[in-house]
């Protein structure tokens, strides 16, 4: 079996059996496509350790980050373990493959004060009743107030929201569900959007830009998906909002607060860091974020320590 064919079957296994996210499957598929190109797409059973080392060396020579090379090492290990289990290879050539150590990069977070000011500005804009302004305010409040991933936010349906308990039910990585709380400001923003903003956006799903009924096969925005009846957050044309539109919103509003290009994950990082700064224990933050490993959550303790040290150096006369 050629590498490309085996890679396709492995990607299907990741999606259907291991139920990894589409983005993760795409990354693994891209890695294996590059491996197949490097090895001239020959039989998977002919690939040996030297082939894999050459592949990773070429990745390093291209200037790929250590994290990328480490991910490719993990991709190769997972792929050949699967190939061995299914009889496509007689032995696993990746067993002696050594991954480079990942450099620790602390996530960039905005200060609580800056985010508070931004959200107050968004609330002022939303007070005018514009449906997009109402939606944008609610999106930022929910992202920061609950720490959910952008994919989880975009996938929210009306039935997932419990306004009385101020919680949302989200589906995270590996199709795992969890219930996440959000605060009073997010509750007010979400209620205003659902009452005043969402109905106006939903009406656009059936009406074209000139007031004519939209043809069922007509074009839709590239950042919107066809709208199920229960989608919470809608795009400007009435379809379920997509991650790209949320990314653009966060980059436009939160980006100036942290500097550089930033996306929805910056609000997730900020939420986790501010929870720890406020006294939340690590296990609680892990459950809120939906991390499978506590080690993933522990990086935020380093962020809090860095912020504490910075404050000390600025404030203490003997620092």
């Amino acid at each position: 079996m050629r590498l490309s064919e085996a890679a396709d079957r492995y990607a299907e296994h990741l999606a259907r059996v291991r139920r990894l996210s589409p983005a993760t499957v795409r990354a693994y598929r891209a890695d294996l496509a590059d491996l197949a190109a490097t090895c001239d797409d020959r039989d998977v059973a002919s690939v040996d350790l030297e082939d894999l080392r050459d592949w990773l060396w070429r990745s390093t020579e291209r200037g790929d980050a250590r994290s990328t090379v480490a991910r490719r090492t993990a991709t190769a290990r997972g792929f050949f373990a699967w190939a061995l289990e299914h009889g496509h290879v007689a032995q696993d050539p990746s067993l002696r493959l050594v991954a480079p150590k990942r450099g620790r990069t602390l996530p960039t977070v905005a200060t609580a004060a800056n985010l508070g000011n931004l959200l107050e500005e968004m609330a002022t804009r939303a007070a005018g009743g514009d449906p997009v302004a109402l939606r944008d305010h609610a999106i930022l409040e929910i992202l920061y107030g609950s720490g959910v991933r952008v994919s989880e936010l975009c996938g929210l349906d009306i039935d997932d929201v419990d306004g009385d308990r101020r919680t949302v039910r989200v589906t995270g990585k590996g199709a795992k569900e969890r219930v996440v709380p959000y605060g009073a400001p997010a509750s007010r923003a979400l209620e205003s959007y659902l009452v005043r903003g969402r109905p106006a956006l939903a009406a656009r799903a059936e009406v074209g830009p000139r007031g004519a009924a939209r043809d069922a096969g007509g074009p839709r925005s590239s950042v919107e998906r066809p709208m199920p009846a229960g989608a919470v957050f809608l795009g400007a044309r009435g379809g379920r909002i997509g991650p790209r539109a949320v990314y653009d919103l966060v980059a436009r509003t939160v980006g100036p607060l942290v500097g550089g290009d930033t996306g929805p994950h910056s609000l997730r990082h900020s939420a986790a860091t501010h929870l720890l700064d406020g006294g939340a224990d690590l296990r609680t933050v892990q459950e809120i974020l939906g991390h499978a490993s506590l080690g993933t959550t522990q990086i935020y303790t380093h962020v809090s320590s860095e912020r504490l040290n910075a404050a000390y150096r600025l404030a203490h006369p003997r620092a």
Side-chain angles (χ1 to χ4, degrees):
M1 182 183 297
R2 292 190 178 275
L3 267 169
S4 57
E5 182 183 353
D8 288 340
R9 294 190 182 184
Y10 179 59
E12 185 176 352
H13 165 79
L14 294 178
R16 294 189 176 183
V17 179
R18 294 188 56 190
R19 303 178 74 180
L20 299 185
S21 72
T24 301
V25 174
R26 283 196 300 271
Y28 285 7
R29 187 189 290 272
D31 289 342
L32 293 174
D34 189 68
L35 174 62
T38 301
C39 297
D40 298 321
D41 198 20
R42 62 178 192 264
D43 192 283
V44 65
S46 69
V47 177
D48 58 22
L49 178 61
E50 290 306 312
D51 291 320
L52 296 178
R53 285 175 173 169
D54 179 61
W55 173 54
L56 295 181
W57 175 81
R58 293 188 185 195
S59 181
T60 302
E61 286 294 295
R62 285 198 302 265
D64 291 341
R66 284 190 297 175
S67 59
T68 300
V69 179
R71 189 199 67 223
R72 291 190 163 190
T73 305
T75 298
R77 287 175 175 169
F79 171 67
F80 282 102
W82 168 86
L84 180 64
E85 181 182 352
H86 288 77
H88 301 311
V89 297
Q91 58 184 4
D92 184 347
S94 69
L95 290 177
R96 294 172 56 197
L97 200 61
V98 178
K101 292 184 177 179
R102 294 173 181 260
R104 179 178 292 276
T105 303
L106 297 181
T108 302
V109 301
T111 66
N114 283 344
L115 280 176
N117 291 336
L118 169 65
L119 292 170
E120 286 181 9
E121 291 177 9
M122 298 297 292
T124 300
R125 296 176 192 172
D130 177 72
V132 173
L134 287 161
R135 181 205 63 195
D136 290 350
H137 180 217
I139 285 176
L140 295 181
E141 286 281 10
I142 290 294
L143 283 174
Y144 177 50
S146 66
V148 296
R149 301 177 178 93
V150 62
S151 59
E152 295 168 346
L153 176 124
C154 293
L156 279 176
D157 289 331
I158 295 295
D159 291 342
D160 296 326
V161 178
D162 188 334
D164 294 333
R165 292 183 174 85
R166 295 208 301 244
T167 61
V168 289
R169 183 179 66 248
V170 297
T171 302
K173 293 184 176 180
K176 294 180 180 178
E177 286 191 355
R178 70 184 190 282
V179 175
V180 185
Y182 57 87
S187 177
R188 291 191 293 269
L190 183 59
E191 182 179 0
S192 294
Y193 161 69
L194 291 177
V195 172
R196 297 192 291 155
R198 185 181 181 278
L201 293 177
R204 300 180 185 181
E206 300 300 329
V207 179
R210 296 184 179 179
R214 174 181 295 173
D215 182 84
R220 290 184 180 270
S221 167
S222 60
V223 296
E224 297 175 24
R225 306 171 184 175
M227 185 191 71
V232 172
F233 291 108
L234 309 180
R237 297 187 183 182
R240 182 190 293 272
I241 199 168
R244 182 72 246 179
V246 179
Y247 186 101
D248 291 342
L249 167 64
V250 176
R252 186 174 68 252
T253 56
V254 181
L257 302 183
V258 297
D261 185 27
T262 189
H265 236 60
S266 62
L267 288 174
R268 181 170 162 86
H269 294 324
S270 299
T273 303
H274 297 163
L275 279 168
L276 289 172
D277 287 346
D281 65 89
L282 204 58
R283 286 287 182 187
T284 299
V285 177
Q286 178 191 8
E287 291 182 14
I288 290 174
L289 297 182
H291 286 159
S293 168
L294 188 63
T296 306
T297 317
Q298 282 178 329
I299 191 172
Y300 296 109
T301 64
H302 296 282
V303 179
S304 293
S305 296
E306 287 290 326
R307 289 157 61 92
L308 182 63
N309 289 335
Y312 172 80
R313 289 192 295 269
L314 287 173
H316 199 287
R318 305 289 287 179

